[in-house]
Amino acid sequence: MRTSRFLVRSGLTVAAAAALPLALTAHPAVARTSGISVSTTGSTVSVVTSACTQINGSWGTAALLNSGQASFAQGRQVALSGTAAGQSAAWSAVSPGTYTVVVMCSNGSVAGTQAVIVSTPSTPKATATPTASPSRGVMGGLGGAAHDYGPVAMGVGGALVGTGVIAAAWFLRRRSKPYRL
């Protein structure tokens, strides 16, 4: 009895493990049925496909249709360019709105149709402009390479620091013994 339950449980686990890759690959296969992929960047709309074949040096044409246009001939048409692995087309300076992208291959078949929304462009970001850097050398940090003071200035500075350390030690020692004058 225990063995049969174990076999049933492990059999279901094996079946689920075998079905998981099939389930994960089924969704992208459905997404590929349109044959095109449309994307927007700012006011530029681009389309990519691999469904067309080259005939007489032409891959086909892509059209961008706004909401008031009904046929392929009415849209902004751009010739597809690329290789057998993938063809692409792009439209720039597209005003905000909803559009339909249609790709017609050179053999007359429709590779796909997809709707796209072009949003209003955001405010442009401020860009930095290069300016001339100072020619005074490094001015920060410890020491710095801006000026070489020489051995006399370094000796005088060392003597002042030493005098300050000795004076502070004498003052603190004298303060700790109040009975002395």
Side-chain angles (χ1 to χ4, degrees), residues 7-135:
L7 290 176
V8 169
R9 286 183 185 169
S10 64
L12 291 174
T13 305
V14 169
L20 183 63
L22 295 174
L24 292 176
T25 58
H27 186 265
V30 171
R32 284 189 218 126
T33 57
S34 73
I36 65 173
S37 174
V38 180
S39 62
T40 61
T41 305
S43 65
T44 302
V45 177
S46 60
V47 61
V48 177
T49 185
S50 60
C52 296
T53 57
Q54 190 174 24
I55 298 175
N56 295 330
S58 171
W59 293 102
T61 309
L64 181 69
L65 306 163
N66 64 20
S67 58
Q69 298 169 329
S71 69
F72 185 83
Q74 293 175 334
R76 288 174 57 183
Q77 296 183 8
V78 175
L80 291 174
S81 62
T83 63
Q87 304 85 41
S88 64
W91 298 269
S92 59
V94 178
S95 59
T98 302
Y99 296 89
T100 303
V101 176
V102 181
V103 175
M104 179 88 61
C105 295
S106 58
N107 64 1
S109 65
V110 176
T113 303
Q114 188 173 344
V116 65
I117 297 173
V118 178
S119 60
T120 57
S122 61
T123 58
K125 295 180 181 176
T127 57
T129 57
T131 59
S133 60
S135 62

Side-chain angles (χ1 to χ4, degrees), residues 138-149:
V138 179
M139 297 299 289
L142 298 174
H147 192 298
D148 185 18
Y149 289 102

